[in-house]
Amino acid sequence: MSELYENRELSWLRFNQRVLEEAEDKRNPLCERLTFMSIYQTNLDEFFMVRVGSIHDQMLLEDDPRENKTNMTASEQLVAIRERVRELGKRKDESYHKLMKEVEKKGIHVVMYSDLDEKEKAFVQGFFQREIQPLLSPFTISKKRPFPFIKNKEICATAILETKGGKSRVGIVPCSNGMFSRLIEIPGSKGKFMLAEELILHFLPDIFSGYNIATKSLVRVTRNADIDADKVYDEELNYRDHMAEVIKQRRKLEPVRLEYTRDVDKKIIKRVMNFFNIDKEMVFNTDAPLDMSFLFDIEDMLRHDKTLFYDKRIPQKSPEIDESLPIIPQVLEKDRFLSYPYENIRPFLTMLHEAANDPNVVSIKMTLYRLAKQSKVVEALVEAAENGKDVDVLVELKARFDEENNIEWSRTLEDAGCHVIYGLDGLKVHSKLCLITMKRGKDVEYVTQIGTGNYNEKTARLYTDLCLMTGNQSIGAEAARVFNALSLGEVMKRTEHLLVAPKCLQNKVIDKIAREIQIAKDGGEGYIGVKINSLTDKKIIDKLIEASQAGVKIEMVIRGICCLHPGVKGKTDNIRIISIVGRFLEHSRIYIFGKGEREEMFIGSADFMTRNTVRRVEVATPLYDKDIRDRVRSFFQLQMSDNVKARELKKDGSYDYVKHTKPEIDSQSIFYEEAYKAAGMNETSEN
């Protein structure tokens, strides 16, 4: 059965390869390709911090455990990961240098010291001595001088230092303290720059003037970030303070990867590797800069040339919502629907502010996972609390890498008089759920919002997500039960309308797949359509395989990880899976079961990953409004027809671009064109 499954980690690396392909794709404007190159690197950093760190931890806790799909042991996974990362690393280096040649044609050159003429060398030497060297903190390592703490992803210049007596030691200089620019402009030659770490590396003889530099390199360590906040819970602290301590601990976790530049004497790498206690197999050489974030600075320098960027696109007004009128009555009249980033998030924000000021509104309840740095959602909730509304907010402090932001927002909400809770023991609350409760006379009335994406105005312009605002009172009553359970530290054990993990989502999805299997066995047309970010849940995967064998047609849009191989004869040949990686990050989740009158359709926050289906609180809502279902079905079908940015998953786990035919169907571009047309705008107009 192994031919049917893909290892989760290797599938993720295939996804990041698709990101790298976007950096290589000359159909994308040059500066957008630079962005994809930077995203490739930051993705890989997080992969090592979280996934590779997790596998290391598994090996410490168990005797080389096996994963449940390909039966690979943890050590086998690490071997496969290393081999694949090295392959991709070579490709990334080549792609970077090709990109920089194109950047040079636009008048920007990132050079090495050896590329400078004598006048320029004199300048950088003076600049280094005046502006950089006084701000550095160099170290030499000996018995009395232990290896300094090196921050996660910090670039350091390192060298083997030899004394006149023949002894050697390691010298190390952290290169990024935030007090000088990473890109240093060379005067007299417009558009010529040098990276600060390269300058520091060159002048190591000046820094360690009492030594001979035997060999030198730039190095960068990636630390494990996989820390279980619940397992290290300190009962002496309140939960928010505990999470602040967890963040501090994470910064000091063990390194899991060492990267270095140049083909250097292996002595220096071995010494540094030993200091960090990193296995030699987790050491990677690169011919490109260790940190690609400076590429965004280059983009800013080229901002004047609009041809180097995507055409400007602005979220449009929804034709279904009259923004000149109050939003809440419109939602009570008929379900309203928004599709980001094609449509503006503004109606939802307006609805929150209306609720904050509506005398009929008794309470607002909301789950918050990731928020913008300047959150208008929080502004509305604070406004509501200050107006005397009951505001109950579940802030998930375990939203990885957003913990500090969420901690600060939780304090802001508490200070305003909101009731803030922090989730459930052992479960992250990942749902996107908002409930507005009104009282008119003796009647209680609900307005509910359920979405696929975070309450983040910034990502609503970058991620594709869906938002339902409904006055359906049955959905509202069930959402109220979800919040009651959360406030009591419990989970939903039974639902009628909503799919609510961890107890009422995976099982219900499997039941709905089983229904399609029976339909197909009875001679009917079984159908399943799914759009998610990742598929790893083996119970759902196995049920999909069973459905394919029964003749159920299955169409799936899966942007990232996919542990199922489609197209295996007699087993998964009724399954077609595509991945769309393009200008906007595909983030919406859609589940469709059946066709025609028996069609059921849901949108929600959960991918079909075990972490979502059984280890998180997730909520998916049915779409009962026919117009909205028609719209979402059309949306899904257009994505399945994409022949520009879609790549099809093959039975061996590889991806190929969908065979290009006329007309071109770039689903993301078409969705924006439709949004502009529906709003009565041309594509250069703002609203």
Side-chain angles (χ1 to χ4, degrees):
M1 291 292 285
S2 60
E3 64 178 341
L4 300 179
Y5 304 107
E6 177 83 354
N7 175 263
R8 167 188 169 142
E9 318 310 338
L10 298 182
S11 180
W12 185 91
L13 288 170
R14 290 186 191 273
F15 158 67
N16 211 31
Q17 177 182 329
R18 298 195 289 280
V19 175
L20 182 58
E21 288 169 357
E22 291 299 307
E24 298 167 339
D25 190 344
K26 292 190 176 182
R27 294 177 299 177
N28 294 324
L30 176 59
C31 285
E32 307 297 348
R33 293 166 63 196
L34 296 178
T35 295
F36 280 113
M37 178 62 71
S38 184
I39 291 171
Y40 170 85
Q41 185 225 348
T42 54
N43 280 352
L44 194 60
D45 287 346
E46 186 170 328
F47 176 74
F48 272 90
M49 291 161 64
V50 177
R51 295 307 307 164
V52 175
S54 175
I55 294 172
H56 272 290
D57 291 345
Q58 290 173 29
M59 293 175 65
L60 294 174
L61 295 171
E62 301 178 47
D63 184 19
D64 212 2
R66 294 182 182 274
E67 54 95 11
N68 69 348
K69 287 173 279 291
T70 60
N71 206 34
M72 294 175 72
T73 64
S75 57
E76 287 170 343
Q77 290 180 73
L78 287 178
V79 170
I81 288 168
R82 292 193 299 256
E83 290 176 356
R84 189 70 184 115
V85 168
R86 292 191 204 287
E87 290 173 8
L88 288 172
K90 291 177 182 177
R91 180 170 174 176
K92 177 262 300 179
D93 289 349
E94 292 173 3
S95 299
Y96 167 79
H97 289 297
K98 288 178 181 177
L99 272 174
M100 295 312 290
K101 281 184 169 58
E102 294 187 49
V103 169
E104 288 175 4
K105 294 175 184 177
K106 303 302 176 183
I108 294 178
H109 303 257
V110 178
V111 300
M112 306 296 282
Y113 183 85
S114 58
D115 298 321
L116 304 178
D117 61 28
E118 293 306 313
K119 185 178 179 181
E120 291 167 338
K121 288 178 180 178
F123 163 78
V124 297
Q125 182 173 20
F127 181 87
F128 173 77
Q129 292 170 346
R130 292 189 315 273
E131 306 289 339
I132 294 182
Q133 189 169 7
L135 303 175
L136 299 177
S137 299
F139 301 89
T140 58
I141 312 304
S142 66
K143 290 181 179 179
K144 293 184 179 180
R145 298 184 182 90
F147 203 85
F149 176 78
I150 304 299
K151 292 182 288 187
N152 185 34
K153 301 186 290 183
E154 181 172 34
I155 298 173
C156 295
T158 60
I160 296 290
L161 310 175
E162 294 181 343
T163 65
K164 292 180 180 179
K167 294 182 179 181
S168 67
R169 59 183 53 171
V170 172
I172 188 163
V173 185
C175 295
S176 50
N177 57 20
M179 289 186 281
F180 47 81
S181 173
R182 175 110 184 272
L183 272 178
I184 297 167
E185 188 169 12
I186 312 300
S189 302
K190 187 178 180 182
K192 187 180 285 189
F193 297 87
M194 191 170 175
L195 289 170
E197 64 263 26
E198 293 289 348
L199 195 60
I200 294 167
L201 185 70
H202 178 79
F203 286 109
L204 283 183
D206 290 9
I207 297 172
F208 300 110
S209 56
Y211 299 90
N212 176 52
I213 306 293
T215 186
K216 60 184 180 179
S217 178
L218 295 171
V219 301
R220 180 175 182 258
V221 293
T222 310
R223 293 183 177 275
N224 186 355
D226 187 54
I227 186 168
D228 190 326
D230 291 323
K231 285 185 178 179
V232 296
Y233 182 54
D234 186 346
E235 294 183 357
E236 298 297 316
L237 299 173
N238 69 43
Y239 192 69
R240 186 168 57 202
D241 291 341
H242 161 70
M243 284 304 302
E245 287 299 314
V246 166
I247 295 165
K248 291 179 183 178
Q249 288 183 40
R250 186 169 67 197
R251 292 179 183 139
K252 299 178 182 179
L253 291 181
E254 290 296 310
V256 293
R257 174 180 62 161
L258 174 67
E259 299 170 279
Y260 70 98
T261 63
R262 292 167 175 73
D263 185 16
V264 296
D265 189 321
K266 295 300 184 285
K267 286 191 299 182
I268 185 173
I269 301 305
K270 187 174 181 180
R271 295 277 288 272
V272 175
M273 183 181 77
N274 290 340
F275 281 126
F276 283 118
N277 194 30
I278 294 179
D279 186 277
K280 65 180 180 179
E281 300 299 330
M282 300 307 288
V283 178
F284 299 85
N285 177 245
T286 179
D287 189 38
L290 293 168
D291 180 343
M292 298 285 191
S293 59
F294 73 94
L295 295 177
F296 291 112
D297 295 326
I298 291 176
E299 289 179 33
D300 288 341
M301 297 175 200
L302 295 172
R303 195 71 60 182
H304 62 279
D305 188 346
K306 303 300 182 187
T307 65
L308 303 181
F309 297 86
Y310 290 129
D311 291 339
K312 189 173 183 179
R313 292 288 182 267
I314 301 158
Q316 294 296 299
K317 292 178 180 178
S318 167
E320 298 178 7
I321 299 172
D322 187 342
E323 293 188 48
S324 67
L325 299 172
I327 306 297
I328 290 176
Q330 295 180 65
V331 173
L332 290 170
E333 175 192 16
K334 185 182 188 298
D335 288 357
R336 308 291 169 167
F337 195 76
L338 296 171
S339 174
Y340 311 142
Y342 315 110
E343 293 172 335
N344 206 305
I345 193 176
R346 189 169 52 232
F348 169 68
L349 297 174
T350 301
M351 185 175 77
L352 274 185
H353 282 288
E354 284 178 20
N357 292 281
D358 188 335
N360 294 313
V361 169
V362 176
S363 68
I364 302 174
K365 299 182 180 183
M366 207 165 181
T367 59
L368 300 179
Y369 193 74
R370 299 191 194 276
L371 293 161
K373 294 295 183 184
Q374 305 294 327
S375 176
K376 294 179 180 178
V377 170
V378 171
E379 284 180 13
L381 295 175
V382 166
E383 182 182 17
E386 290 176 346
N387 287 340
K389 313 295 182 189
D390 288 333
V391 180
D392 296 339
V393 188
L394 190 147
V395 181
E396 182 50 80
L397 298 186
K398 292 179 287 186
R400 201 188 306 269
F401 306 125
D402 270 352
E403 298 98 337
E404 289 177 273
N405 192 40
N406 287 4
I407 286 170
E408 289 307 310
W409 282 128
S410 72
R411 291 190 176 116
T412 299
L413 290 163
E414 260 186 7
D415 290 345
C418 301
H419 177 223
V420 179
I421 57 176
Y422 303 116
L424 308 181
D425 291 343
L427 296 172
K428 281 187 181 180
V429 179
H430 187 250
S431 56
K432 325 302 179 188
L433 182 64
C434 175
L435 179 67
I436 298 168
T437 304
M438 296 169 288
K439 197 166 189 306
R440 303 180 194 276
K442 295 182 179 180
D443 296 327
V444 172
E445 202 166 20
Y446 298 112
V447 168
T448 312
Q449 182 275 339
I450 302 171
T452 68
N454 296 299
Y455 297 113
N456 185 319
E457 308 89 83
K458 181 178 179 181
T459 57
R461 300 174 70 93
L462 304 171
Y463 295 5
T464 74
D465 273 306
L466 303 173
C467 164
L468 174 71
M469 296 179 287
T470 179
N472 183 297
Q473 296 306 295
S474 296
I475 288 177
E478 201 153 271
R481 288 179 52 220
V482 172
F483 279 109
N484 288 342
L486 290 174
S487 66
L488 295 172
E490 300 173 354
V491 298
M492 294 285 284
K493 296 179 181 177
R494 182 184 61 81
T495 62
E496 182 180 351
H497 301 276
L498 303 175
L499 308 181
V500 184
K503 298 290 187 183
C504 304
L505 192 147
Q506 183 196 63
N507 56 339
K508 287 179 175 284
V509 166
I510 289 172
D511 287 347
K512 293 177 189 305
I513 297 172
R515 184 192 69 176
E516 296 308 305
I517 292 172
Q518 193 58 52
I519 292 289
K521 286 181 176 179
D522 292 343
E525 184 181 8
Y527 177 78
I528 297 165
V530 175
K531 182 180 184 298
I532 48 179
N533 297 325
S534 298
L535 173 65
T536 69
D537 186 314
K538 191 169 186 295
K539 287 186 177 181
I540 293 178
I541 289 172
D542 287 345
K543 203 67 181 177
L544 290 169
I545 293 170
E546 183 185 342
S548 174
Q549 290 174 314
V552 177
K553 181 181 179 182
I554 302 169
E555 296 179 313
M556 307 183 82
V557 181
I558 305 175
R559 170 174 55 88
I561 301 166
C562 181
C563 294
L564 169 64
H565 288 171
V568 177
K569 189 173 181 181
K571 295 174 182 176
T572 59
D573 41 358
N574 285 310
I575 302 176
R576 180 172 184 253
I577 300 173
I578 65 167
S579 169
I580 295 175
V581 178
R583 174 175 183 172
F584 304 109
L585 186 137
E586 290 292 338
H587 195 252
S588 55
R589 288 91 165 185
I590 302 167
Y591 325 141
I592 305 170
F593 304 97
K595 286 192 171 184
E597 291 184 0
R598 61 183 187 80
E599 176 189 67
E600 290 185 279
M601 189 179 297
F602 299 80
I603 65 165
S605 56
D607 293 311
F608 288 172
M609 305 178 75
T610 307
R611 74 177 190 187
N612 298 91
T613 56
V614 299
R615 294 201 294 270
R616 289 183 175 182
V617 175
E618 305 273 10
V619 176
T621 181
L623 301 178
Y624 289 142
D625 184 275
K626 181 183 180 302
D627 293 337
I628 293 175
R629 282 204 313 276
D630 289 347
R631 183 179 174 193
V632 173
R633 189 186 313 108
S634 174
F635 175 96
F636 180 79
Q637 290 171 348
L638 183 64
Q639 290 225 296
M640 287 302 304
S641 302
D642 193 303
N643 61 17
V644 175
K645 288 301 182 183
R647 297 164 176 86
E648 187 160 0
L649 177 57
K650 303 300 182 181
K651 64 182 179 181
D652 64 355
S654 64
Y655 287 79
D656 291 333
Y657 276 105
V658 170
K659 187 175 180 181
H660 189 72
T661 56
K662 296 288 185 180
E664 289 188 356
I665 301 175
D666 181 341
S667 57
Q668 292 185 349
S669 294
I670 291 172
F671 291 141
Y672 242 124
E673 290 168 9
E674 290 176 348
Y676 273 94
K677 184 177 179 181
M681 308 287 287
N682 63 55
E683 295 189 18
T684 59
S685 301
E686 296 194 26
N687 66 65

